[in-house]
Amino acid sequence: MEMPELTPDMLLRAYAIGVFPMAEDRDDPDLFWVDPRMRGIIPLDAFHVPRRLRRTVRNSGLRVTVDSAFEATIEACAASTELRPRTWINDRIIMLYTSLFHLGFAHSVECWQDGRLAGGLYGVAMGGAFFGESMFSRATDASKVALVHLVARLRAGGFSLLDSQFITRHLRRFGAVEIPRSDYRLRLAEALKQSAEFETAPSRADIEAVLRGDPS
């Protein structure tokens, strides 16, 4: 169902009931609501980091920041590449989520290599839920490193739900699972009652616990 107009407040209310917007294509000006029958989530206490990625996180030399380049991150997620010729992020989505960023609800995790933005991700935080939206890489495993740091931050900040919306083979390697819409809504309702802090930075020990697969 297409929508004629959407405000940041309406977008937050939609997230609170488990619905999110997408576009058919980067150049399509319209948006439609999505409410998947099966929802992808990444259990924070069962997050799995493949062995090679553990070495990358520890030794890659990538510098990780948070909320320092939100607009550049969402623009990079919207850009087409050889491996991803089409994206669902159009100008309306960029404008809306940038507004949420300035309101303190949307966040980005960035990876830098030699002073250049090499990868990252963005999403929306409400209560104890984080809704992951999209990620990108311009260097090997940069988006995966960002995801590891996101999970460490969510665990440190007291979050209980990491919503990935859909499941891909890439996300399954990290422990992502699909749950029915009804189950997701129950988990979402509980998470929204919680008070979590995205601003709480994980310690080195927090990141190492994620790499080892220790439960939070």
Side-chain angles (χ1 to χ4, degrees):
M1 179 177 63
E2 293 181 1
M3 59 193 83
E5 191 54 60
L6 182 59
T7 66
D9 181 64
M10 290 170 60
L11 184 52
L12 292 175
R13 283 187 277 133
Y15 271 105
I17 60 172
V19 181
F20 56 91
M22 295 182 71
E24 288 286 357
D25 192 79
R26 174 69 177 88
D27 297 322
D28 188 334
D30 295 320
L31 299 177
F32 58 91
W33 292 118
V34 182
D35 185 12
R37 182 180 62 83
M38 296 296 292
R39 191 72 168 234
I41 65 168
I42 301 176
L44 291 170
D45 59 355
F47 185 72
H48 171 72
V49 183
R51 181 176 300 175
R52 186 176 64 83
L53 182 59
R54 288 180 226 161
R55 294 195 297 268
T56 300
V57 172
R58 292 175 175 133
N59 304 315
S60 69
L62 291 170
R63 183 171 65 90
V64 180
T65 60
V66 171
D67 290 346
S68 68
F70 182 88
E71 291 183 49
T73 297
I74 193 171
E75 289 279 2
C77 288
S80 61
T81 66
E82 273 190 31
L83 296 177
R84 187 178 60 177
R86 297 182 62 186
T87 74
W88 53 269
I89 302 171
N90 64 7
D91 287 343
R92 288 179 70 187
I93 284 184
I94 292 172
M95 179 185 68
L96 281 164
Y97 286 81
T98 300
S99 295
L100 287 186
F101 170 70
H102 290 300
L103 291 170
F105 290 99
H107 300 280
S108 57
V109 179
E110 308 95 9
C111 289
W112 304 83
Q113 186 176 63
D114 300 325
R116 297 183 179 182
L117 188 60
L121 57 83
Y122 78 97
V124 175
M126 293 175 62
F130 188 88
F131 309 89
E133 286 297 317
S134 187
M135 57 178 60
F136 80 98
S137 276
R138 293 172 180 160
T140 302
D141 289 339
S143 64
K144 297 174 185 177
V145 171
L147 179 59
V148 170
H149 279 261
L150 172 68
V151 169
R153 178 170 287 265
L154 296 181
R155 286 171 44 158
F159 286 78
S160 63
L161 177 64
L162 173 51
D163 173 16
S164 65
Q165 300 176 347
F166 301 106
I167 290 291
T168 63
R169 184 176 63 179
H170 162 74
L171 291 177
R172 285 190 189 278
R173 296 180 62 206
F174 293 97
V177 296
E178 283 184 319
I179 60 175
R181 180 191 294 148
S182 57
D183 189 2
Y184 171 78
R185 287 178 175 171
L186 290 174
R187 296 189 190 206
L188 174 60
E190 287 302 311
L192 292 176
K193 295 176 186 176
Q194 299 167 352
S195 178
E197 294 292 338
F198 189 84
E199 291 74 18
T200 301
S203 66
R204 188 68 227 180
D206 292 328
I207 296 171
E208 284 296 326
V210 171
L211 295 177
R212 291 194 305 268
D214 296 344
S216 55

mmCIF file of all heavy atoms in Angstrom, residues 53 62 109 111 118-121 135-149 170 174:
data_model
loop_
_atom_site.group_PDB
_atom_site.id
_atom_site.type_symbol
_atom_site.label_atom_id
_atom_site.label_comp_id
_atom_site.label_asym_id
_atom_site.label_seq_id
_atom_site.Cartn_x
_atom_site.Cartn_y
_atom_site.Cartn_z
ATOM 1 N N LEU A 53 36.376 -13.689 10.827
ATOM 2 C CA LEU A 53 35.944 -12.333 11.149
ATOM 3 C C LEU A 53 36.454 -11.896 12.515
ATOM 4 O O LEU A 53 36.741 -10.715 12.710
ATOM 5 C CB LEU A 53 34.415 -12.236 11.090
ATOM 6 C CG LEU A 53 33.826 -10.854 11.360
ATOM 7 C CD1 LEU A 53 34.353 -9.820 10.370
ATOM 8 C CD2 LEU A 53 32.294 -10.905 11.311
ATOM 9 N N LEU A 62 40.722 -1.177 11.041
ATOM 10 C CA LEU A 62 39.573 -0.311 10.786
ATOM 11 C C LEU A 62 39.246 0.491 12.048
ATOM 12 O O LEU A 62 39.240 -0.044 13.154
ATOM 13 C CB LEU A 62 38.355 -1.137 10.382
ATOM 14 C CG LEU A 62 38.397 -1.820 9.020
ATOM 15 C CD1 LEU A 62 37.229 -2.793 8.875
ATOM 16 C CD2 LEU A 62 38.360 -0.791 7.892
ATOM 17 N N VAL A 109 26.677 3.207 12.549
ATOM 18 C CA VAL A 109 27.995 2.717 12.975
ATOM 19 C C VAL A 109 28.862 2.735 11.727
ATOM 20 O O VAL A 109 28.471 2.187 10.682
ATOM 21 C CB VAL A 109 27.916 1.291 13.548
ATOM 22 C CG1 VAL A 109 29.310 0.813 13.965
ATOM 23 C CG2 VAL A 109 26.960 1.239 14.730
ATOM 24 N N CYS A 111 32.780 2.403 9.759
ATOM 25 C CA CYS A 111 34.147 1.882 9.755
ATOM 26 C C CYS A 111 34.984 2.714 8.779
ATOM 27 O O CYS A 111 34.554 2.969 7.650
ATOM 28 C CB CYS A 111 34.166 0.409 9.333
ATOM 29 S SG CYS A 111 33.488 -0.715 10.558
ATOM 30 N N ALA A 118 34.711 3.233 4.938
ATOM 31 C CA ALA A 118 34.895 1.938 4.287
ATOM 32 C C ALA A 118 33.683 1.020 4.418
ATOM 33 O O ALA A 118 33.575 0.027 3.700
ATOM 34 C CB ALA A 118 36.113 1.233 4.880
ATOM 35 N N GLY A 119 32.794 1.337 5.318
ATOM 36 C CA GLY A 119 31.617 0.496 5.517
ATOM 37 C C GLY A 119 30.822 0.989 6.706
ATOM 38 O O GLY A 119 31.276 1.856 7.462
ATOM 39 N N GLY A 120 29.638 0.415 6.867
ATOM 40 C CA GLY A 120 28.830 0.817 8.013
ATOM 41 C C GLY A 120 27.408 0.327 7.904
ATOM 42 O O GLY A 120 27.043 -0.423 6.986
ATOM 43 N N LEU A 121 26.591 0.786 8.847
ATOM 44 C CA LEU A 121 25.181 0.405 8.887
ATOM 45 C C LEU A 121 24.403 1.505 9.593
ATOM 46 O O LEU A 121 24.977 2.373 10.246
ATOM 47 C CB LEU A 121 25.017 -0.933 9.609
ATOM 48 C CG LEU A 121 25.552 -1.057 11.032
ATOM 49 C CD1 LEU A 121 24.573 -0.508 12.084
ATOM 50 C CD2 LEU A 121 25.879 -2.503 11.360
ATOM 51 N N MET A 135 23.165 -1.964 5.455
ATOM 52 C CA MET A 135 24.600 -1.848 5.666
ATOM 53 C C MET A 135 25.307 -1.823 4.315
ATOM 54 O O MET A 135 24.715 -2.190 3.296
ATOM 55 C CB MET A 135 25.120 -2.993 6.533
ATOM 56 C CG MET A 135 24.831 -4.380 5.998
ATOM 57 S SD MET A 135 25.539 -5.702 7.044
ATOM 58 C CE MET A 135 24.724 -5.406 8.592
ATOM 59 N N PHE A 136 26.553 -1.404 4.302
ATOM 60 C CA PHE A 136 27.325 -1.362 3.057
ATOM 61 C C PHE A 136 28.787 -1.600 3.364
ATOM 62 O O PHE A 136 29.248 -1.418 4.492
ATOM 63 C CB PHE A 136 27.156 -0.008 2.353
ATOM 64 C CG PHE A 136 28.016 1.077 2.944
ATOM 65 C CD1 PHE A 136 29.232 1.420 2.358
ATOM 66 C CD2 PHE A 136 27.617 1.749 4.097
ATOM 67 C CE1 PHE A 136 30.036 2.409 2.912
ATOM 68 C CE2 PHE A 136 28.414 2.737 4.655
ATOM 69 C CZ PHE A 136 29.625 3.070 4.056
ATOM 70 N N SER A 137 29.531 -2.009 2.339
ATOM 71 C CA SER A 137 30.978 -2.207 2.460
ATOM 72 C C SER A 137 31.687 -1.671 1.228
ATOM 73 O O SER A 137 31.245 -1.911 0.107
ATOM 74 C CB SER A 137 31.321 -3.694 2.606
ATOM 75 O OG SER A 137 31.211 -4.127 3.929
ATOM 76 N N ARG A 138 32.775 -0.974 1.459
ATOM 77 C CA ARG A 138 33.700 -0.594 0.388
ATOM 78 C C ARG A 138 35.052 -1.246 0.601
ATOM 79 O O ARG A 138 35.951 -1.078 -0.211
ATOM 80 C CB ARG A 138 33.858 0.934 0.367
ATOM 81 C CG ARG A 138 32.588 1.672 -0.048
ATOM 82 C CD ARG A 138 32.739 3.162 0.142
ATOM 83 N NE ARG A 138 31.535 3.884 -0.259
ATOM 84 C CZ ARG A 138 31.241 5.115 0.145
ATOM 85 N NH1 ARG A 138 32.082 5.761 0.959
ATOM 86 N NH2 ARG A 138 30.123 5.697 -0.263
ATOM 87 N N ALA A 139 35.190 -1.956 1.716
ATOM 88 C CA ALA A 139 36.401 -2.712 2.031
ATOM 89 C C ALA A 139 35.963 -4.056 2.591
ATOM 90 O O ALA A 139 34.900 -4.168 3.196
ATOM 91 C CB ALA A 139 37.266 -1.960 3.046
ATOM 92 N N THR A 140 36.775 -5.063 2.415
ATOM 93 C CA THR A 140 36.416 -6.417 2.838
ATOM 94 C C THR A 140 36.005 -6.460 4.303
ATOM 95 O O THR A 140 36.739 -6.007 5.188
ATOM 96 C CB THR A 140 37.611 -7.372 2.616
ATOM 97 O OG1 THR A 140 37.982 -7.336 1.238
ATOM 98 C CG2 THR A 140 37.243 -8.792 3.006
ATOM 99 N N ASP A 141 34.786 -6.977 4.534
ATOM 100 C CA ASP A 141 34.245 -7.231 5.878
ATOM 101 C C ASP A 141 33.966 -5.966 6.689
ATOM 102 O O ASP A 141 33.663 -6.069 7.887
ATOM 103 C CB ASP A 141 35.183 -8.140 6.686
ATOM 104 C CG ASP A 141 35.186 -9.571 6.174
ATOM 105 O OD1 ASP A 141 34.219 -9.958 5.496
ATOM 106 O OD2 ASP A 141 36.152 -10.299 6.452
ATOM 107 N N ALA A 142 34.003 -4.803 6.088
ATOM 108 C CA ALA A 142 33.796 -3.573 6.867
ATOM 109 C C ALA A 142 32.405 -3.523 7.479
ATOM 110 O O ALA A 142 32.238 -3.120 8.637
ATOM 111 C CB ALA A 142 34.048 -2.351 5.999
ATOM 112 N N SER A 143 31.369 -3.928 6.723
ATOM 113 C CA SER A 143 30.017 -3.899 7.284
ATOM 114 C C SER A 143 29.871 -4.937 8.398
ATOM 115 O O SER A 143 29.133 -4.727 9.372
ATOM 116 C CB SER A 143 28.978 -4.147 6.197
ATOM 117 O OG SER A 143 29.107 -5.440 5.640
ATOM 118 N N LYS A 144 30.574 -6.064 8.274
ATOM 119 C CA LYS A 144 30.510 -7.102 9.308
ATOM 120 C C LYS A 144 31.165 -6.617 10.597
ATOM 121 O O LYS A 144 30.685 -6.908 11.698
ATOM 122 C CB LYS A 144 31.173 -8.379 8.804
ATOM 123 C CG LYS A 144 30.487 -8.989 7.597
ATOM 124 C CD LYS A 144 31.278 -10.174 7.055
ATOM 125 C CE LYS A 144 30.670 -10.713 5.773
ATOM 126 N NZ LYS A 144 31.476 -11.823 5.195
ATOM 127 N N VAL A 145 32.267 -5.906 10.460
ATOM 128 C CA VAL A 145 32.918 -5.328 11.642
ATOM 129 C C VAL A 145 31.958 -4.347 12.315
ATOM 130 O O VAL A 145 31.835 -4.325 13.551
ATOM 131 C CB VAL A 145 34.234 -4.630 11.255
ATOM 132 C CG1 VAL A 145 34.804 -3.844 12.441
ATOM 133 C CG2 VAL A 145 35.247 -5.652 10.758
ATOM 134 N N ALA A 146 31.263 -3.543 11.516
ATOM 135 C CA ALA A 146 30.280 -2.605 12.072
ATOM 136 C C ALA A 146 29.184 -3.352 12.821
ATOM 137 O O ALA A 146 28.734 -2.918 13.889
ATOM 138 C CB ALA A 146 29.689 -1.742 10.962
ATOM 139 N N LEU A 147 28.736 -4.484 12.280
ATOM 140 C CA LEU A 147 27.688 -5.270 12.929
ATOM 141 C C LEU A 147 28.161 -5.820 14.269
ATOM 142 O O LEU A 147 27.410 -5.793 15.262
ATOM 143 C CB LEU A 147 27.243 -6.409 12.009
ATOM 144 C CG LEU A 147 26.159 -7.344 12.562
ATOM 145 C CD1 LEU A 147 24.886 -6.573 12.896
ATOM 146 C CD2 LEU A 147 25.870 -8.464 11.562
ATOM 147 N N VAL A 148 29.386 -6.313 14.332
ATOM 148 C CA VAL A 148 29.927 -6.804 15.598
ATOM 149 C C VAL A 148 29.933 -5.689 16.645
ATOM 150 O O VAL A 148 29.526 -5.884 17.802
ATOM 151 C CB VAL A 148 31.348 -7.370 15.407
ATOM 152 C CG1 VAL A 148 32.011 -7.660 16.758
ATOM 153 C CG2 VAL A 148 31.313 -8.635 14.556
ATOM 154 N N HIS A 149 30.373 -4.510 16.257
ATOM 155 C CA HIS A 149 30.409 -3.384 17.189
ATOM 156 C C HIS A 149 28.993 -2.940 17.571
ATOM 157 O O HIS A 149 28.763 -2.520 18.724
ATOM 158 C CB HIS A 149 31.203 -2.227 16.588
ATOM 159 C CG HIS A 149 32.686 -2.390 16.737
ATOM 160 N ND1 HIS A 149 33.412 -1.766 17.719
ATOM 161 C CD2 HIS A 149 33.573 -3.132 16.019
ATOM 162 C CE1 HIS A 149 34.684 -2.104 17.604
ATOM 163 N NE2 HIS A 149 34.811 -2.928 16.584
ATOM 164 N N HIS A 170 23.862 -14.343 4.517
ATOM 165 C CA HIS A 170 24.901 -13.586 5.219
ATOM 166 C C HIS A 170 24.542 -13.439 6.700
ATOM 167 O O HIS A 170 25.370 -13.679 7.579
ATOM 168 C CB HIS A 170 25.028 -12.224 4.530
ATOM 169 C CG HIS A 170 25.722 -11.176 5.336
ATOM 170 N ND1 HIS A 170 27.077 -11.173 5.549
ATOM 171 C CD2 HIS A 170 25.236 -10.090 5.984
ATOM 172 C CE1 HIS A 170 27.408 -10.119 6.289
ATOM 173 N NE2 HIS A 170 26.308 -9.459 6.569
ATOM 174 N N PHE A 174 25.507 -15.267 11.323
ATOM 175 C CA PHE A 174 25.661 -14.603 12.618
ATOM 176 C C PHE A 174 24.635 -15.082 13.645
ATOM 177 O O PHE A 174 24.614 -14.578 14.767
ATOM 178 C CB PHE A 174 25.548 -13.089 12.442
ATOM 179 C CG PHE A 174 26.684 -12.496 11.664
ATOM 180 C CD1 PHE A 174 26.553 -12.239 10.309
ATOM 181 C CD2 PHE A 174 27.888 -12.197 12.285
ATOM 182 C CE1 PHE A 174 27.604 -11.703 9.576
ATOM 183 C CE2 PHE A 174 28.943 -11.659 11.568
ATOM 184 C CZ PHE A 174 28.802 -11.413 10.205
#
